[in-house]
């Protein structure tokens, strides 16, 4: 597609999107039908009014404490807590598009949950060679303590965050599966609140799917994990504490779900049961929605130096006296090499063809794939299998020769640590930047809750790369967010 120049006055006078799929404008520069009303409202408001409301929004976010912490790799630089950048122009998804996405996400999460159960029980998918045994058994997130352990309803991933992109052709692809402690759900709800308060004329001019039932679905999923089907379980959210980057996410969810927000020091294990210390005495805990990684949750089993977890927690879990969400050991299934086999899992466990495609993925422990990638590093995105949040990545087209050579050396030394993918041309969306509307790359984190049924929050979290041309949308790397409207 040739470069698309938007010859419009005012807001979109200098707007353009080159070879990328633009969410708001088609290849001829015409506004897509789903964005027609938004275009009229934005034009009527003008840039001055948009900037004024942006200032109001920033003030509100500071007052509400809607923050995210950016960690620095430089020991001389302090970590920065800031309001997560919020873009005022919503992202639209049509009803037909969402129907397809919803079905594909439900299918994918069901297959992933069955895969996790299988690798800790019969391992049939490994025995049949559909997923290579070494990718699972040598995986740092595979936990032998989970082998043969039965958990309530066989539900390992009651909460998933699945990252989706749209390519230059307009097709959707799954980019990543986040199954350990997916973050960002709170921003879905705060973004909606901001749009309803700041742009009521825009929101109420559209028929937008309600997201309110999502938290009820999550709470229901947690309730179903209670050992013995206890009708009124005590559920807590286990946080690393106030210095964690996603602490706002933790506090918001605990409050909205009506559950206790606790740190490891608030819990104790007695006779293989977990108790919450309260002013009224000890209360037995039934379900722990944990936002702490596996290696920190129990210093008696994992890292002995961890002060974040609860000594004896895994013993209580294995005894069936407390449930953990998500289950320990689920990180195997969101490993970036295992990701490549999710379409095969869907065919194997569900006898269905995948509704959502993966991005083509090269397993660099395979010599022929490794040599091909090394010859094309300038065109590739290379990811370290065990890392997330935008860390441990090489984006070939924007990398320096020094960075490319450094990654090439790492790949040659430890090829099993990495996967590679062709650089996908993420779709663009209009975003307010420096008092003008510009095209910025986006993706979508969809939140999926598995209980009796599988519920997908309508829309999810659209993440925005704030820098011109950047493909990195992660909040941990300075990315922003915008509200996502699924139209009825």
């Amino acid at each position: 597609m040739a470069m698309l120049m938007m010859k419009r006055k005012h807001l979109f006078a200098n707007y353009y999107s080159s070879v990328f799929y633009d969410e708001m404008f088609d290849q001829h520069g015409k506004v897509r039908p789903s964005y027609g009303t938004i275009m009229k409202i934005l034009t009527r408001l003008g840039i001055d009014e948009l900037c004024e409301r942006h200032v109001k929004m920033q003030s509100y976010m500071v007052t509400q404490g809607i923050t995210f912490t950016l960690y620095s790799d430089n020991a001389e630089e302090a970590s920065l807590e800031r309001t997560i950048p919020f873009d005022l122009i919503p992202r639209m998804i049509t009803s037909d598009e969402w129907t397809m996405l919803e079905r594909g996400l439900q299918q994918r999460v069901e297959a992933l949950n069955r895969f996790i159960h299988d690798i800790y029980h019969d391992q049939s998918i490994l025995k049949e060679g559909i997923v290579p045994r070494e990718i699972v058994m040598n995986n740092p997130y595979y936990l032998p303590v989970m082998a043969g352990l039965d958990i309530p309803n066989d539900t390992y991933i009651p909460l998933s965050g699945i990252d989706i992109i749209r390519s230059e052709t307009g097709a959707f692809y799954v980019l990543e599966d986040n199954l350990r402690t997916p973050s960002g759900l709170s921003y879905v709800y705060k973004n909606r609140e901001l749009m309803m308060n700041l742009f009521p004329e825009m929101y109420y001019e559209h028929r937008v799917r309600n997201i309110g039932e999502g938290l009820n679905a999550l709470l229901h999923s947690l309730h179903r994990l209670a050992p013995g089907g206890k009708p009124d379980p005590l559920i807590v959210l286990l946080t690393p504490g106030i210095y964690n980057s996603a602490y706002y996410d933790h506090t918001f969810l605990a409050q909205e779900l009506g559950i206790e927000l606790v740190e490891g020091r608030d819990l104790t294990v007695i006779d293989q049961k977990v108790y919450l210390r309260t002013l009224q005495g000890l209360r037995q805990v039934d379900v722990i929605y944990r936002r702490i990684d596996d290696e920190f949750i129990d210093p008696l089993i994992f890292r002995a130096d961890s002060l974040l977890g609860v000594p004896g927690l895994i013993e209580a879990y294995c005894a069936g006296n407390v449930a953990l969400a998500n289950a320990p050991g689920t990180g195997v299934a969101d490993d970036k090499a295992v990701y490549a086999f999710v379409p095969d899992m869907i065919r194997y466990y569900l006898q269905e063809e995948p509704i959502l495609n993966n991005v083509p993925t090269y397993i660099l422990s395979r010599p022929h794939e490794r040599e091909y990638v090394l010859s094309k590093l300038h065109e590739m995105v290379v990811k370290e299998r065990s890392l997330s949040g935008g860390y441990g990545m090489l984006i070939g087209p924007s990398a320096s020769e020094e960075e490319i050579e450094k990654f090439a050396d790492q790949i040659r030394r430890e090829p099993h640590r990495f996967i590679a993918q062709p650089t996908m041309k993420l779709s663009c969306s209009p975003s307010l930047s420096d008092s003008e509307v510009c095209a910025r790359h986006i993706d979508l984190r969809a939140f999926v809750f598995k209980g009796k049924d599988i519920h997908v929050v309508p829309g999810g979290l659209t993440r925005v790369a704030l820098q011109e041309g950047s493909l990195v949308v992660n909040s941990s790397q300075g990315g922003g967010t915008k509200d996502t409207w699924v139209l009825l």
Side-chain angles (χ1 to χ4, degrees):
M1 181 173 65
M3 179 172 287
L4 174 63
M5 299 297 298
M6 304 310 305
K7 297 181 179 179
R8 288 184 167 83
K9 297 179 180 180
H10 308 303
L11 286 178
F12 294 89
N14 299 316
Y15 185 90
Y16 73 93
S17 175
S18 57
V19 297
F20 306 101
Y21 182 95
D22 193 286
E23 300 284 339
M24 187 167 182
F25 301 101
D26 66 18
Q27 66 270 33
H28 304 296
K30 294 182 179 179
V31 178
R32 299 185 190 277
S34 56
Y35 280 86
T37 300
I38 283 182
M39 183 64 173
K40 292 176 183 176
I41 293 173
L42 291 175
T43 303
R44 185 174 72 242
L45 290 173
I47 192 66
D48 291 340
E49 178 65 18
L50 280 179
C51 290
E52 184 177 326
R53 296 196 194 189
H54 178 77
V55 171
K56 291 180 180 177
M57 177 268 297
Q58 287 289 339
S59 176
Y60 175 83
M61 293 179 77
V62 170
T63 301
Q64 293 287 310
I66 306 173
T67 60
F68 191 93
T69 300
L70 293 179
Y71 296 123
S72 174
D73 292 330
N74 189 334
E76 298 179 358
E77 295 180 5
S79 298
L80 174 65
E81 184 177 12
R82 62 173 177 104
T83 57
I84 189 167
F86 173 70
D87 185 65
L88 301 176
I89 303 175
R91 189 252 186 95
M92 315 294 281
I93 298 178
T94 67
S95 177
D96 288 344
E97 288 173 335
W98 184 251
T99 296
M100 182 273 295
L101 286 171
E102 184 176 47
R103 289 177 53 241
L105 289 163
Q106 290 168 335
Q107 178 193 60
R108 191 176 184 94
V109 167
E110 178 64 29
L112 283 165
N113 193 81
R114 294 194 191 188
F115 170 73
I116 299 168
H117 179 272
D118 187 16
I119 63 171
Y120 288 118
H121 289 81
D122 295 336
Q123 298 189 344
S124 58
I125 201 168
L126 306 184
K127 293 173 183 175
E128 297 191 31
I130 295 167
V131 175
R133 177 175 291 275
E134 64 273 12
I135 284 182
V136 172
M137 304 310 292
N138 296 334
N139 193 295
Y141 293 111
Y142 180 83
L143 299 183
V145 70
M146 293 293 294
L149 185 65
D150 293 324
I151 66 173
N153 308 308
D154 292 333
T155 302
Y156 289 81
I157 45 173
L159 169 62
S160 305
I162 311 297
D163 294 344
I164 297 172
I165 61 171
R166 196 202 291 261
S167 74
E168 68 270 27
T169 66
F172 291 103
Y173 291 84
V174 173
L175 184 64
E176 274 187 14
D177 304 296
N178 298 279
L179 309 178
R180 282 170 280 166
T181 56
S183 64
L185 181 58
S186 63
Y187 303 120
V188 174
Y189 291 90
K190 297 310 291 188
N191 287 355
R192 181 59 52 86
E193 179 183 318
L194 285 168
M195 288 304 298
M196 292 176 71
N197 289 336
L198 286 170
F199 291 93
E201 69 271 65
M202 188 183 295
Y203 181 78
Y204 291 107
E205 281 289 319
H206 294 83
R207 297 178 64 225
V208 182
R209 284 274 300 269
N210 192 303
I211 59 175
E213 64 187 71
L215 291 177
N216 288 333
L218 174 56
L219 186 60
H220 177 70
S221 298
L222 296 175
H223 269 266
R224 292 190 78 247
L225 296 177
K230 189 174 180 179
D232 188 24
L234 176 59
I235 305 173
V236 301
L237 190 155
L238 178 60
T239 174
I242 61 174
Y243 298 109
N244 184 262
S245 62
Y247 185 67
Y248 174 79
D249 203 38
H250 307 166
T251 59
F252 174 90
L253 291 174
Q255 181 176 354
E256 294 299 313
L257 293 170
I259 62 179
E260 298 281 349
L261 180 68
V262 304
E263 297 181 30
R265 61 191 176 187
D266 299 318
L267 303 177
T268 186
V269 176
I270 302 172
D271 296 331
Q272 298 185 329
K273 295 179 180 178
V274 181
Y275 292 91
L276 172 64
R277 296 185 176 98
T278 74
L279 294 176
Q280 291 74 39
L282 298 178
R283 297 178 60 199
Q284 186 176 348
V285 175
D286 302 294
V287 180
I288 299 175
Y289 170 22
R290 50 102 178 200
R291 296 298 297 267
I292 296 177
D293 287 340
D294 289 353
E295 61 182 315
F296 297 105
I297 59 176
D298 186 342
L300 299 183
I301 301 295
F302 303 113
R303 284 185 54 161
D305 62 343
S306 172
L307 301 177
L308 302 177
V310 184
L313 176 57
I314 292 298
E315 185 180 4
Y317 179 67
C318 291
N321 294 326
V322 68
L324 291 172
N326 287 350
T330 57
V332 176
D334 65 17
D335 177 276
K336 292 175 175 58
V338 173
Y339 155 92
F341 297 93
V342 176
D344 296 318
M345 296 177 199
I346 292 170
R347 298 183 185 99
Y348 182 73
Y349 295 117
L350 307 182
Q351 290 79 53
E352 299 171 356
E353 282 300 309
I355 296 170
L356 293 172
N357 291 320
N358 274 12
V359 175
T361 302
Y362 299 97
I363 309 298
L364 299 189
S365 57
R366 296 171 174 170
H368 62 288
E369 295 187 29
R370 178 170 65 253
E371 292 308 312
Y372 175 78
V373 167
L374 286 170
S375 70
K376 301 279 187 180
L377 271 183
H378 291 84
E379 304 170 13
M380 295 286 178
V381 173
V382 180
K383 301 177 182 178
E384 192 162 347
R385 287 173 51 187
S386 62
L387 296 184
S388 59
Y391 295 102
M393 286 178 58
L394 172 78
I395 300 179
S398 60
S400 67
E401 289 296 329
E402 182 181 356
E403 290 171 325
I404 289 173
E405 190 54 41
K406 178 182 176 182
F407 259 82
D409 288 342
Q410 290 178 324
I411 290 168
R412 292 186 184 101
R413 287 198 308 269
E414 299 179 281
H416 61 278
R417 286 177 50 200
F418 301 95
I419 60 94
Q421 297 169 331
T423 305
M424 299 294 286
K425 297 181 173 66
L426 276 64
S427 66
C428 289
S429 177
S431 299
L432 184 65
S433 175
D434 296 327
S435 301
E436 65 177 344
V437 177
C438 307
R440 292 290 184 263
H441 291 295
I442 60 172
D443 80 351
L444 176 69
R445 173 161 292 182
F447 291 95
V448 187
F449 308 137
K450 180 173 172 53
K452 183 177 180 181
D453 302 306
I454 299 180
H455 177 87
V456 186
V457 179
L461 184 68
T462 291
R463 304 184 298 177
V464 187
L466 298 179
Q467 299 300 316
E468 182 177 0
S470 173
L471 299 175
V472 181
V473 299
N474 307 75
S475 299
S476 56
Q477 303 294 314
T481 70
K482 60 169 68 197
D483 198 9
T484 310
W485 293 1
V486 175
L487 301 178
L488 291 169

